[in-house]
Amino acid sequence: MTGTDTPGSASASRAGTDTARVTRLDDLPVRDELRGQSPYGAPQLDVPVRLNTNENPYPLPEPLVERIAERVREVARDLNRYPDRDAVELRAALAEYLVRTGPADAPELGVAQVWAANGSNEVIQQLLQVFGGPGRTALGFEPSYSMHSLIARGTGTAWICGPRSADFTIDPDAAVRAIAEHRPDVVFVTTPNNPTGNAVPMETVLAIHDAAQRAKPSMVIVDEAYIEFSHGASLLPLLAGRPHLVLSRTMSKAFGAAGLRLGYLAADPAVVDAVQLVRLPYHLSSVTQATALAALEHTDTLLKYVERLKDERDRLVAELRTIGYEVTESDANFVQFGRFDGPGGAHAAWRSILDRGVLVRDNGVPGWLRVSTGTPEENDAFLDAVRDLKKEQEQGG
C-alpha cells in the first residue's frame, strides 16, 4: 500500500477539505466580468394570475397540437440520426412567413437570408460570438431587454449603456453622438422595446445604422421579438442594401410557443454564413424543427390570437389611465405603468398586487411596473387589483 492514497490517508483528507471549502460561487475561478452578476429570470410563483413574463396566455389550438404530434411522430422514427444540421426546410418556411406577413416593400427572402436557433437569445449569443467578444464592445439603449447586456458579458463583450430620454424614447441626435463617441462593434435597438413597450421609428433606426457605419462600421441588431403586436410594420425593408443590419425574431410571443424555444434572424447572406462559424453542430433538434414547422402551418389561426391581445392591450392602457396611472405607449403585448414614488416605490406596489393574487413584473425601472396582456378574465383581475392599490395609496396619502 506504500505510495498509495487511501480514504483514510492524510492526502485524501486534505483533498476532501479543499473540496469542501468550495461552497460559494465566489470561491470558483469565475471570469471577472461575471462576478457579482445574477442569472436572468422572472419570479416563478404559484398564483392565480401570472402576467409577468410576456407569454401569450392562449394555449395552442387543438388542431395544431395534433399536427405537432404528427410531425414529431414522423421524425421520432429517425432520432437515431442527427437532425438536419442547417434546418433548411424550417428556414425556408420562416422566410416565407416573413415575406407573407411583412410590409409590401420588404425584400425577397430565402434560406440564405434566414437563420434559426434555440430562442432569440441563442441568436443574439451567436451574433455576439461572431461580431463581439474580448476587446470589442456592444451598445444598447437602456432600459431595454436585459439579456442583451448579459449575453454581451457572457461572450466577453464590453457593454456600453446608451442614452434614452425621460419618456423612454431614443433621441436620434443623442444616439448618434453616443455611437460616435464609443464606436461600438455592435449596436442593439429593441422595437417594440422591452420593458417599456414603445416602438422605435424607422427614421431613428436609420440614423443609428448610418452613424454606426460611419464609426466603425458596426453591426446593428434590431430586436423585433414583439413586432407582431405593433401598430406599425416590421423593419424588414431596411435590410435591402444594408449588410450590417440584422433583424432578430422569436416564436415565443406571437406564436404562443414560449416552451418551444425557437428564434430566428433575417439578414444579408454573409451574416448567416458568419453565425454558422460559431453555431454548435446539430444545435436544433429534429423535434424542435418539426414542432416549429407545424406551428408555421397554422400562422393564420395564431395571428388571430394576436389581434385579440392587441385589443386587450389597448383596453389595459385605457383603463389604467382612467384609474389614474401613467402609462407608456405600448406596441407590445405588455404595458408599463406607474408611477410609484411613495414608500417602497415600485417594489412595494408589486408586492401589493401580488397579495391580491396577480403577479406582474418589477423590472427595476424606478417607479414603474410591467404587466403582460392576459385573457380578458386575467386582465379584469389585474385591473381590480390596481384599482384597490390606487384607493389604498390615496387613503394613505
Side-chain angles (χ1 to χ4, degrees):
M1 298 294 290
T2 303
T4 305
D5 289 337
T6 65
S9 69
S11 176
S13 176
R14 284 195 302 272
T17 302
D18 291 343
T19 301
R21 197 176 293 136
V22 182
T23 57
R24 301 177 305 151
L25 177 62
D26 288 344
D27 293 322
L28 298 172
V30 176
R31 286 169 23 211
D32 289 342
E33 64 267 29
L34 298 181
R35 291 194 178 278
Q37 300 297 317
S38 299
Y40 175 86
Q44 293 181 309
L45 305 176
D46 186 14
V47 296
V49 179
R50 290 182 293 179
L51 299 174
N52 70 321
T53 53
N54 300 341
E55 296 164 320
N56 188 318
Y58 294 105
L60 297 181
E62 194 57 34
L64 173 53
V65 173
E66 292 174 3
R67 182 59 178 139
I68 290 172
E70 290 173 2
R71 276 196 170 267
V72 170
R73 190 178 300 113
E74 291 168 7
V75 301
R77 297 187 179 93
D78 294 317
L79 286 181
N80 58 312
R81 303 294 185 185
Y82 286 114
D84 175 8
R85 182 180 56 212
D86 298 324
V88 173
E89 182 183 4
L90 173 59
R91 288 161 59 200
L94 288 166
E96 189 277 331
Y97 166 76
L98 287 170
V99 172
R100 181 167 60 86
T101 60
D105 56 345
E108 285 297 316
L109 297 174
V111 172
Q113 290 87 24
V114 175
W115 180 247
N118 293 286
S120 60
N121 287 333
E122 187 177 47
V123 168
I124 292 163
Q125 178 176 276
Q126 291 172 343
L127 289 167
L128 283 168
Q129 285 176 312
V130 175
F131 301 111
R136 296 192 174 194
T137 59
L139 182 148
F141 302 93
E142 296 183 327
S144 190
Y145 183 39
S146 58
M147 280 304 298
H148 294 160
S149 60
L150 288 173
I151 296 173
R153 294 186 182 101
T155 58
T157 311
W159 181 256
I160 300 166
C161 180
R164 196 174 280 270
S165 302
D167 62 355
F168 302 109
T169 59
I170 297 175
D171 177 77
D173 294 335
V176 168
R177 287 194 297 270
I179 291 169
E181 176 186 354
H182 297 288
R183 303 181 71 245
D185 297 277
V186 180
V187 179
F188 284 95
V189 180
T190 308
T191 181
N193 188 48
N194 178 18
T196 60
N198 49 328
V200 182
M202 179 182 290
E203 296 76 16
T204 301
V205 175
L206 275 173
I208 290 170
H209 171 272
D210 292 349
Q213 304 323 300
R214 291 192 298 270
K216 185 80 55 166
S218 309
M219 299 302 298
V220 177
I221 301 170
V222 179
D223 190 333
E224 288 193 332
Y226 300 93
I227 194 63
E228 285 94 343
F229 300 97
S230 179
H231 297 98
S234 167
L235 297 180
L236 275 168
L238 296 186
L239 290 179
R242 295 181 178 87
H244 295 92
L245 183 66
V246 182
L247 299 190
S248 172
R249 302 281 284 267
T250 181
M251 294 183 75
S252 293
K253 310 303 179 182
F255 281 80
L260 171 61
R261 310 309 304 131
L262 197 290
Y264 56 104
L265 66 78
D268 188 271
V271 175
V272 175
D273 291 341
V275 295
Q276 293 187 63
L277 297 175
V278 298
R279 63 104 175 96
L280 295 175
Y282 312 107
H283 68 295
L284 277 180
S285 75
S286 299
V287 173
T288 296
Q289 293 182 46
T291 304
L293 283 164
L296 285 163
E297 293 175 11
H298 289 255
T299 54
D300 291 342
T301 300
L302 294 172
L303 292 179
K304 289 178 182 175
Y305 291 123
V306 170
E307 292 305 312
R308 287 192 208 174
L309 289 169
K310 288 165 71 173
D311 289 342
E312 280 296 302
R313 184 261 326 274
D314 293 343
R315 180 170 78 95
L316 284 178
V317 170
E319 291 284 347
L320 283 165
R321 286 175 174 161
T322 298
I323 294 168
Y325 291 102
E326 291 184 47
V327 180
T328 307
E329 292 293 339
S330 178
D331 273 73
N333 69 332
F334 55 84
V335 177
Q336 180 178 258
F337 67 104
R339 297 190 181 197
F340 302 101
D341 299 322
H347 192 73
W350 174 85
R351 169 54 65 180
S352 179
I353 296 169
L354 179 61
D355 290 343
R356 291 167 170 83
V358 180
L359 178 61
V360 298
R361 187 71 180 270
D362 179 2
N363 280 292
V365 181
W368 298 85
L369 296 173
R370 189 195 72 193
V371 59
S372 307
T373 306
T375 64
E377 296 76 17
E378 290 172 333
N379 296 332
D380 287 342
F382 161 73
L383 290 168
D384 287 342
V386 292
R387 284 190 190 97
D388 289 346
L389 174 60
K390 177 60 78 173
K391 290 176 185 175
E392 234 180 46
Q393 291 174 323
E394 290 172 348
Q395 291 169 358

